[in-house]
């Protein structure tokens, strides 16, 4: 899967869709007009871009979610680590914590989290 980057306008419309889907595109037009002061053409243009990126599907005026907000964020995070740190999670974590300390509780929470995703862990 390619890196999916949303523009500010796409993020605004996506937020409305994630909050309300599934629903019909005329209802989206009404919400976008009410919440964003957008015209119908703007809403459909941005919706098409989001559908082309594989975030949503608009079929017969029915809008459905293909990627949840959480799935998109996880994908973007993995792509960032891949592109910026050669896919090395330890290098990313080292850069993230550079010069910062964490509490004992946070360290323990991270240890438990890592253990739960460790290969061979049940």
């Amino acid at each position: 899967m390619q890196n999916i980057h949303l523009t500010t306008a796409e993020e605004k419309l996506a937020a409305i869709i994630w909050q309300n889907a599934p629903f019909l595109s005329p209802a989206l037009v009404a919400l976008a007009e009410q919440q964003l002061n957008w015209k119908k053409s703007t809403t459909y243009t941005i919706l098409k871009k989001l559908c082309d990126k594989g975030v949503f599907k608009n079929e017969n005026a029915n809008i459905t979610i293909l990627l949840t907000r959480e799935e998109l964020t996880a994908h973007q995070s993995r792509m960032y680590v891949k592109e910026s740190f050669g896919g090395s999670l330890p290098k990313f974590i080292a850069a993230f914590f550079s010069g910062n300390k964490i509490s004992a509780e946070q360290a323990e929470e991270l240890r438990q989290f890592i253990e739960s995703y460790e290969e061979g862990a049940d």
Side-chain angles (χ1 to χ4, degrees):
M1 185 187 289
Q2 66 183 15
N3 193 1
I4 301 171
H5 172 75
L6 301 186
T7 65
T8 302
E10 290 168 346
E11 286 177 4
K12 288 177 181 180
L13 191 63
I16 292 172
I17 297 171
W18 280 317
Q19 185 175 4
N20 296 283
F23 62 149
L24 297 175
S25 56
L28 175 62
V29 169
L31 284 172
E33 182 179 4
Q34 178 186 35
Q35 294 180 23
L36 304 172
N37 200 29
W38 285 4
K39 295 180 180 181
K40 179 179 177 179
S41 59
T42 302
T43 301
Y44 280 118
T45 298
I46 301 300
L47 175 61
K48 182 176 180 341
K49 290 179 181 184
L50 288 166
C51 291
D52 290 346
K53 291 180 179 186
V55 181
F56 302 109
K57 183 177 181 180
N58 183 13
E59 187 172 61
N60 298 321
N62 291 302
I63 300 171
T64 55
I65 298 170
L66 297 178
L67 284 177
T68 65
R69 181 188 311 257
E70 294 77 17
E71 290 169 333
L72 179 60
T73 300
H75 172 73
Q76 290 171 326
S77 298
R78 285 190 296 273
M79 291 303 296
Y80 177 76
V81 170
K82 181 180 178 183
E83 293 170 359
S84 300
F85 298 94
S88 172
L89 189 56
K91 286 181 183 176
F92 166 76
I93 291 172
F96 184 82
F97 285 125
S98 180
N100 296 311
K101 299 287 184 183
I102 61 173
S103 69
E105 293 83 16
Q106 289 172 319
E108 181 56 30
E109 186 177 347
L110 285 171
R111 276 196 263 321
Q112 290 176 6
F113 181 78
I114 290 168
E115 287 174 9
S116 73
Y117 281 91
E118 206 170 355
E119 286 183 22
D122 293 331

PDB file of all heavy atoms in Angstrom, residues 3 76-88 91-92 95:
ATOM      1  N   ASN A   3       1.902   5.340   0.408  1.00  0.00           N
ATOM      2  CA  ASN A   3       1.721   6.315   1.480  1.00  0.00           C
ATOM      3  C   ASN A   3       0.500   7.170   1.160  1.00  0.00           C
ATOM      4  O   ASN A   3       0.365   7.681   0.059  1.00  0.00           O
ATOM      5  CB  ASN A   3       2.970   7.191   1.611  1.00  0.00           C
ATOM      6  CG  ASN A   3       2.963   8.001   2.895  1.00  0.00           C
ATOM      7  OD1 ASN A   3       2.048   7.900   3.707  1.00  0.00           O
ATOM      8  ND2 ASN A   3       3.986   8.798   3.084  1.00  0.00           N
ATOM      9  N   GLN A  76      -0.034   5.449   8.140  1.00  0.00           N
ATOM     10  CA  GLN A  76       0.831   6.616   7.973  1.00  0.00           C
ATOM     11  C   GLN A  76       2.030   6.541   8.908  1.00  0.00           C
ATOM     12  O   GLN A  76       3.143   6.918   8.525  1.00  0.00           O
ATOM     13  CB  GLN A  76       0.033   7.898   8.223  1.00  0.00           C
ATOM     14  CG  GLN A  76      -0.976   8.200   7.147  1.00  0.00           C
ATOM     15  CD  GLN A  76      -1.907   9.347   7.514  1.00  0.00           C
ATOM     16  OE1 GLN A  76      -2.251   9.530   8.669  1.00  0.00           O
ATOM     17  NE2 GLN A  76      -2.336  10.096   6.518  1.00  0.00           N
ATOM     18  N   SER A  77       1.830   6.053  10.116  1.00  0.00           N
ATOM     19  CA  SER A  77       2.921   5.933  11.085  1.00  0.00           C
ATOM     20  C   SER A  77       3.959   4.926  10.606  1.00  0.00           C
ATOM     21  O   SER A  77       5.168   5.173  10.679  1.00  0.00           O
ATOM     22  CB  SER A  77       2.377   5.510  12.452  1.00  0.00           C
ATOM     23  OG  SER A  77       1.483   6.480  12.944  1.00  0.00           O
ATOM     24  N   ARG A  78       3.495   3.773  10.115  1.00  0.00           N
ATOM     25  CA  ARG A  78       4.431   2.757   9.602  1.00  0.00           C
ATOM     26  C   ARG A  78       5.214   3.291   8.408  1.00  0.00           C
ATOM     27  O   ARG A  78       6.419   3.057   8.289  1.00  0.00           O
ATOM     28  CB  ARG A  78       3.677   1.480   9.231  1.00  0.00           C
ATOM     29  CG  ARG A  78       3.241   0.659  10.435  1.00  0.00           C
ATOM     30  CD  ARG A  78       2.705  -0.711  10.036  1.00  0.00           C
ATOM     31  NE  ARG A  78       1.495  -0.635   9.229  1.00  0.00           N
ATOM     32  CZ  ARG A  78       0.268  -0.559   9.722  1.00  0.00           C
ATOM     33  NH1 ARG A  78       0.066  -0.541  11.022  1.00  0.00           N
ATOM     34  NH2 ARG A  78      -0.765  -0.517   8.907  1.00  0.00           N
ATOM     35  N   MET A  79       4.530   4.030   7.524  1.00  0.00           N
ATOM     36  CA  MET A  79       5.214   4.595   6.362  1.00  0.00           C
ATOM     37  C   MET A  79       6.244   5.638   6.790  1.00  0.00           C
ATOM     38  O   MET A  79       7.331   5.711   6.215  1.00  0.00           O
ATOM     39  CB  MET A  79       4.198   5.209   5.388  1.00  0.00           C
ATOM     40  CG  MET A  79       3.318   4.182   4.688  1.00  0.00           C
ATOM     41  SD  MET A  79       4.220   2.930   3.755  1.00  0.00           S
ATOM     42  CE  MET A  79       4.992   3.927   2.507  1.00  0.00           C
ATOM     43  N   TYR A  80       5.933   6.424   7.810  1.00  0.00           N
ATOM     44  CA  TYR A  80       6.873   7.423   8.309  1.00  0.00           C
ATOM     45  C   TYR A  80       8.137   6.749   8.844  1.00  0.00           C
ATOM     46  O   TYR A  80       9.259   7.167   8.524  1.00  0.00           O
ATOM     47  CB  TYR A  80       6.220   8.278   9.397  1.00  0.00           C
ATOM     48  CG  TYR A  80       7.171   9.289   9.995  1.00  0.00           C
ATOM     49  CD1 TYR A  80       7.499  10.441   9.302  1.00  0.00           C
ATOM     50  CD2 TYR A  80       7.755   9.074  11.238  1.00  0.00           C
ATOM     51  CE1 TYR A  80       8.387  11.356   9.832  1.00  0.00           C
ATOM     52  CE2 TYR A  80       8.651   9.987  11.772  1.00  0.00           C
ATOM     53  CZ  TYR A  80       8.962  11.131  11.070  1.00  0.00           C
ATOM     54  OH  TYR A  80       9.846  12.028  11.591  1.00  0.00           O
ATOM     55  N   VAL A  81       7.966   5.693   9.626  1.00  0.00           N
ATOM     56  CA  VAL A  81       9.118   4.970  10.172  1.00  0.00           C
ATOM     57  C   VAL A  81       9.917   4.345   9.029  1.00  0.00           C
ATOM     58  O   VAL A  81      11.154   4.404   9.018  1.00  0.00           O
ATOM     59  CB  VAL A  81       8.669   3.906  11.196  1.00  0.00           C
ATOM     60  CG1 VAL A  81       9.827   2.994  11.587  1.00  0.00           C
ATOM     61  CG2 VAL A  81       8.081   4.578  12.431  1.00  0.00           C
ATOM     62  N   LYS A  82       9.227   3.795   8.049  1.00  0.00           N
ATOM     63  CA  LYS A  82       9.909   3.174   6.910  1.00  0.00           C
ATOM     64  C   LYS A  82      10.716   4.207   6.121  1.00  0.00           C
ATOM     65  O   LYS A  82      11.888   3.983   5.812  1.00  0.00           O
ATOM     66  CB  LYS A  82       8.882   2.506   5.998  1.00  0.00           C
ATOM     67  CG  LYS A  82       9.473   1.817   4.797  1.00  0.00           C
ATOM     68  CD  LYS A  82       8.394   1.171   3.938  1.00  0.00           C
ATOM     69  CE  LYS A  82       9.003   0.523   2.718  1.00  0.00           C
ATOM     70  NZ  LYS A  82       7.964  -0.050   1.846  1.00  0.00           N
ATOM     71  N   GLU A  83      10.088   5.345   5.811  1.00  0.00           N
ATOM     72  CA  GLU A  83      10.737   6.350   4.980  1.00  0.00           C
ATOM     73  C   GLU A  83      11.803   7.150   5.728  1.00  0.00           C
ATOM     74  O   GLU A  83      12.826   7.510   5.153  1.00  0.00           O
ATOM     75  CB  GLU A  83       9.695   7.310   4.412  1.00  0.00           C
ATOM     76  CG  GLU A  83       8.763   6.650   3.412  1.00  0.00           C
ATOM     77  CD  GLU A  83       7.577   7.525   3.009  1.00  0.00           C
ATOM     78  OE1 GLU A  83       7.461   8.652   3.523  1.00  0.00           O
ATOM     79  OE2 GLU A  83       6.774   7.057   2.189  1.00  0.00           O
ATOM     80  N   SER A  84      11.574   7.449   7.000  1.00  0.00           N
ATOM     81  CA  SER A  84      12.482   8.317   7.742  1.00  0.00           C
ATOM     82  C   SER A  84      13.569   7.572   8.504  1.00  0.00           C
ATOM     83  O   SER A  84      14.625   8.141   8.783  1.00  0.00           O
ATOM     84  CB  SER A  84      11.677   9.174   8.729  1.00  0.00           C
ATOM     85  OG  SER A  84      10.746   9.969   8.040  1.00  0.00           O
ATOM     86  N   PHE A  85      13.301   6.317   8.865  1.00  0.00           N
ATOM     87  CA  PHE A  85      14.251   5.572   9.697  1.00  0.00           C
ATOM     88  C   PHE A  85      14.585   4.213   9.102  1.00  0.00           C
ATOM     89  O   PHE A  85      15.011   3.303   9.811  1.00  0.00           O
ATOM     90  CB  PHE A  85      13.680   5.401  11.119  1.00  0.00           C
ATOM     91  CG  PHE A  85      13.453   6.713  11.808  1.00  0.00           C
ATOM     92  CD1 PHE A  85      12.216   7.329  11.760  1.00  0.00           C
ATOM     93  CD2 PHE A  85      14.484   7.355  12.481  1.00  0.00           C
ATOM     94  CE1 PHE A  85      11.998   8.556  12.375  1.00  0.00           C
ATOM     95  CE2 PHE A  85      14.283   8.577  13.096  1.00  0.00           C
ATOM     96  CZ  PHE A  85      13.036   9.184  13.040  1.00  0.00           C
ATOM     97  N   GLY A  86      14.379   4.064   7.792  1.00  0.00           N
ATOM     98  CA  GLY A  86      14.691   2.807   7.128  1.00  0.00           C
ATOM     99  C   GLY A  86      13.906   1.631   7.683  1.00  0.00           C
ATOM    100  O   GLY A  86      14.367   0.493   7.613  1.00  0.00           O
ATOM    101  N   GLY A  87      12.761   1.908   8.250  1.00  0.00           N
ATOM    102  CA  GLY A  87      11.925   0.847   8.811  1.00  0.00           C
ATOM    103  C   GLY A  87      12.348   0.397  10.193  1.00  0.00           C
ATOM    104  O   GLY A  87      11.771  -0.529  10.753  1.00  0.00           O
ATOM    105  N   SER A  88      13.337   1.056  10.774  1.00  0.00           N
ATOM    106  CA  SER A  88      13.860   0.655  12.086  1.00  0.00           C
ATOM    107  C   SER A  88      13.061   1.301  13.215  1.00  0.00           C
ATOM    108  O   SER A  88      13.192   2.506  13.472  1.00  0.00           O
ATOM    109  CB  SER A  88      15.336   1.041  12.211  1.00  0.00           C
ATOM    110  OG  SER A  88      15.786   0.819  13.546  1.00  0.00           O
ATOM    111  N   LYS A  91      15.393   2.820  15.913  1.00  0.00           N
ATOM    112  CA  LYS A  91      15.934   4.135  15.536  1.00  0.00           C
ATOM    113  C   LYS A  91      14.879   5.226  15.716  1.00  0.00           C
ATOM    114  O   LYS A  91      15.185   6.320  16.165  1.00  0.00           O
ATOM    115  CB  LYS A  91      16.427   4.124  14.087  1.00  0.00           C
ATOM    116  CG  LYS A  91      17.723   3.371  13.895  1.00  0.00           C
ATOM    117  CD  LYS A  91      18.165   3.417  12.449  1.00  0.00           C
ATOM    118  CE  LYS A  91      19.429   2.607  12.247  1.00  0.00           C
ATOM    119  NZ  LYS A  91      19.831   2.568  10.827  1.00  0.00           N
ATOM    120  N   PHE A  92      13.633   4.907  15.371  1.00  0.00           N
ATOM    121  CA  PHE A  92      12.554   5.874  15.564  1.00  0.00           C
ATOM    122  C   PHE A  92      12.376   6.186  17.040  1.00  0.00           C
ATOM    123  O   PHE A  92      12.279   7.350  17.435  1.00  0.00           O
ATOM    124  CB  PHE A  92      11.238   5.347  14.976  1.00  0.00           C
ATOM    125  CG  PHE A  92      10.039   6.138  15.423  1.00  0.00           C
ATOM    126  CD1 PHE A  92       9.780   7.388  14.882  1.00  0.00           C
ATOM    127  CD2 PHE A  92       9.191   5.653  16.401  1.00  0.00           C
ATOM    128  CE1 PHE A  92       8.682   8.133  15.306  1.00  0.00           C
ATOM    129  CE2 PHE A  92       8.093   6.385  16.831  1.00  0.00           C
ATOM    130  CZ  PHE A  92       7.839   7.627  16.279  1.00  0.00           C
ATOM    131  N   ALA A  95      15.137   8.359  18.384  1.00  0.00           N
ATOM    132  CA  ALA A  95      14.956   9.759  17.986  1.00  0.00           C
ATOM    133  C   ALA A  95      13.816  10.404  18.765  1.00  0.00           C
ATOM    134  O   ALA A  95      13.916  11.549  19.200  1.00  0.00           O
ATOM    135  CB  ALA A  95      14.676   9.842  16.483  1.00  0.00           C
TER     136      ALA A  95
END
